[in-house]
Amino acid sequence: TVGYDQNYNRDSNGSYIITPGSEVTKQLIDSRDGKEYWVAKLADGNCWMTQNLALDLSYKDANDNTIMRALTSADSDISVGRTWRAELLTSDEVSAQEDVYSQFSDGSWNLGEYVLAVPARGVYCNTAVTDGSTIRDASVRPGQTIEQNCTDFVNVAKDGWKPTFDSSNAPEGTWTGANYNSSTGQAEAYTYTGPLSVDKNNKTYDAHYLIGNYYQWTTATAGGVQSGSNIANIPESVTGRLIDTSNSICPKGWTLPKSGRNSIASSAYYGLPLDRNRSYYQLLYAYGFPDDKTVSTDDRNGWTPNGVQSAYIILDTLSDRNQNVALAPMYFLRSGYVYIYDANMRTLGETNSVWSSTISPVTVNSAYYLSFNDLLYPSHENAYMLGWAVRCLAH
């Protein structure tokens, strides 16, 4: 059972029973399409998917017919008696038709089987502008593939790669590549030394770092909230009420994590402590992240204000390897996101963003998510229409 109590999974002394380093991890098969996923019982006592969901919401049958996948309560996190199908095909490339998508469309993207080889690197993958997508810091543009531009990522769908590499026990290694510099207009070589998730010599990789698929929020929530999604005017939201969707594209028995306000500002609305009883915060708290709001904007060991909407922690101040959310045991992945406003993919190799089930009580057509680059936001908010990763949490 998923526990959201602050004392969940603790002994009489208040210590977590599952201590960092003693997590139980296994691979499970999603019966809907046969794909395997690493899962782990982490220090918060909950079972998490520790790699990104890669469920295609459309697929080809044996006769090459396109099938829109039907999700029901028999195999998915869907209410009893309900069937949900996406209307848009799972796309295999970033679309140049940005007007296809809206806040309430059900877009999703399978951009290939790519593994981030350098999980701790955290540098933008950029590419030159094109007529179809002019933003300077785009990673992948319409008609392009990830491997064309991003040498931090390995296409493991070809050349006989196998998912047998264990990055948690591997020594640090060296990786060389080149990234496009949008300021100079040139590709620049780099050498990285640090944790790797691949073994190039043996063509093996750690499946924790597969990028998975990207989903708009109303897709991730199997239809989400089709109307009335701005709850800023609901009185209960001001006094602490948060609204979570009850459906998702997670497998049966699993659901989207819950998020919440993550603010330490002093205004009447936001002058609340961190929402400690929500999934992402509980997970981080179990690994030694601060359990209260910081008292100073200069306190680099605590949560730091970022305006009035959210707070962050500076990741390079954390010395415990278990607190590196990009490495074992959490394996959060810098997989970027699909930015449909300008028809491209952005921040690939630099930023992690993972949806929650929680609607923003403040901003119209927005939801909460966990995000990090060099800063970690256990709860941030952005528009439904962006394409981000999904990870599921066991009921």
Side-chain angles (χ1 to χ4, degrees):
T1 301
V2 176
Y4 295 109
D5 188 294
Q6 189 75 358
N7 294 315
Y8 181 78
N9 195 46
R10 298 193 185 199
D11 60 22
S12 58
N13 296 318
S15 299
Y16 279 98
I17 297 170
I18 298 176
T19 58
S22 67
E23 298 86 0
V24 178
T25 184
K26 294 184 180 298
Q27 277 186 304
L28 299 181
I29 296 174
D30 188 339
S31 63
R32 299 173 296 181
D33 59 4
K35 291 181 180 177
E36 296 182 345
Y37 295 95
W38 282 108
V39 303
K41 190 166 188 179
L42 299 179
D44 64 337
N46 294 317
C47 291
W48 290 78
M49 284 177 56
T50 49
Q51 70 180 86
N52 293 349
L53 184 69
L55 179 69
D56 292 333
L57 297 174
S58 64
Y59 61 94
K60 296 283 189 179
D61 67 11
N63 297 316
D64 204 35
N65 298 310
T66 298
I67 306 296
M68 304 306 294
R69 190 182 300 279
L71 304 184
T72 71
S73 59
D75 60 11
S76 302
D77 183 35
I78 300 289
S79 302
V80 174
R82 180 170 180 253
T83 298
W84 181 80
R85 292 180 178 85
E87 295 182 357
L88 296 175
L89 299 176
T90 300
S91 179
D92 60 1
E93 66 176 44
V94 177
S95 174
Q97 297 177 281
E98 55 197 279
D99 57 344
V100 169
Y101 305 99
S102 72
Q103 298 291 2
F104 299 108
S105 59
D106 49 29
S108 61
W109 296 264
N110 177 350
L111 301 179
E113 290 185 58
Y114 290 93
V115 168
L116 176 57
V118 290
R121 182 167 181 253
V123 174
Y124 282 117
C125 163
N126 291 333
T127 183
V129 299
T130 65
D131 291 339
S133 180
T134 58
I135 196 165
R136 292 185 64 187
D137 58 352
S139 301
V140 180
R141 301 176 191 274
Q144 297 179 344
T145 65
I146 290 174
E147 63 188 317
Q148 284 179 279
N149 307 312
C150 305
T151 55
D152 289 359
F153 291 81
V154 178
N155 184 351
V156 296
K158 62 181 185 179
D159 299 333
W161 285 84
K162 298 184 183 302
T164 56
F165 185 72
D166 181 1
S167 64
S168 65
N169 295 320
E172 294 190 349
T174 298
W175 186 266
T176 58
N179 274 342
Y180 176 82
N181 185 324
S182 59
S183 298
T184 64
Q186 302 293 322
E188 298 177 352
Y190 68 85
T191 298
Y192 160 92
T193 300
L196 296 178
S197 62
V198 299
D199 180 339
K200 289 189 290 187
N201 293 329
N202 294 311
K203 291 191 179 298
T204 57
Y205 65 92
D206 185 343
H208 288 98
Y209 293 107
L210 284 166
I211 63 170
N213 287 13
Y214 299 80
Y215 305 92
Q216 292 183 268
W217 186 78
T218 46
T219 316
T221 56
V225 179
Q226 295 298 327
S227 63
S229 59
N230 174 19
I231 63 172
N233 295 321
I234 298 176
E236 293 89 341
S237 69
V238 178
T239 58
R241 182 178 180 224
L242 292 169
I243 294 179
D244 294 283
T245 58
S246 57
N247 295 275
S248 78
I249 59 172
C250 293
K252 183 178 179 62
W254 297 73
T255 191
L256 288 178
K258 295 181 179 181
S259 189
R261 287 158 305 212
N262 168 31
S263 171
I264 53 178
S266 58
S267 68
Y269 179 83
Y270 283 106
L272 300 170
L274 302 175
D275 280 317
R276 297 182 181 86
N277 63 337
R278 312 295 280 181
S279 310
Y280 288 133
Y281 181 79
Q282 282 278 292
L283 177 62
L284 297 173
Y285 180 59
Y287 284 97
F289 285 72
D291 75 336
D292 208 346
K293 53 187 178 181
T294 185
V295 296
S296 168
T297 58
D298 298 322
D299 180 6
R300 290 172 61 90
N301 295 315
W303 300 108
T304 302
N306 179 32
V308 296
Q309 291 193 7
S310 57
Y312 61 84
I313 197 165
I314 302 170
L315 289 178
D316 64 9
T317 65
L318 304 173
S319 58
D320 186 343
R321 183 181 173 91
N322 288 302
Q323 289 181 315
N324 189 329
V325 293
L327 303 177
M330 289 181 269
Y331 296 101
F332 282 114
L333 172 62
R334 301 172 190 269
S335 51
Y337 63 98
V338 177
Y339 185 72
I340 62 178
Y341 295 104
D342 189 48
N344 61 70
M345 186 181 196
R346 301 182 71 182
T347 68
L348 192 60
E350 196 270 344
T351 300
N352 165 85
S353 299
V354 188
W355 284 123
S356 79
S357 64
T358 310
I359 301 167
S360 168
V362 182
T363 306
V364 178
N365 298 333
S366 294
Y368 284 128
Y369 63 101
L370 175 144
S371 179
F372 75 87
N373 39 46
D374 55 338
L375 308 176
L376 170 68
Y377 295 85
S379 180
H380 218 331
E381 63 179 62
N382 217 318
Y384 293 163
M385 66 194 305
L386 299 176
W388 279 333
V390 163
R391 292 199 174 188
C392 303
L393 177 68
H395 282 294

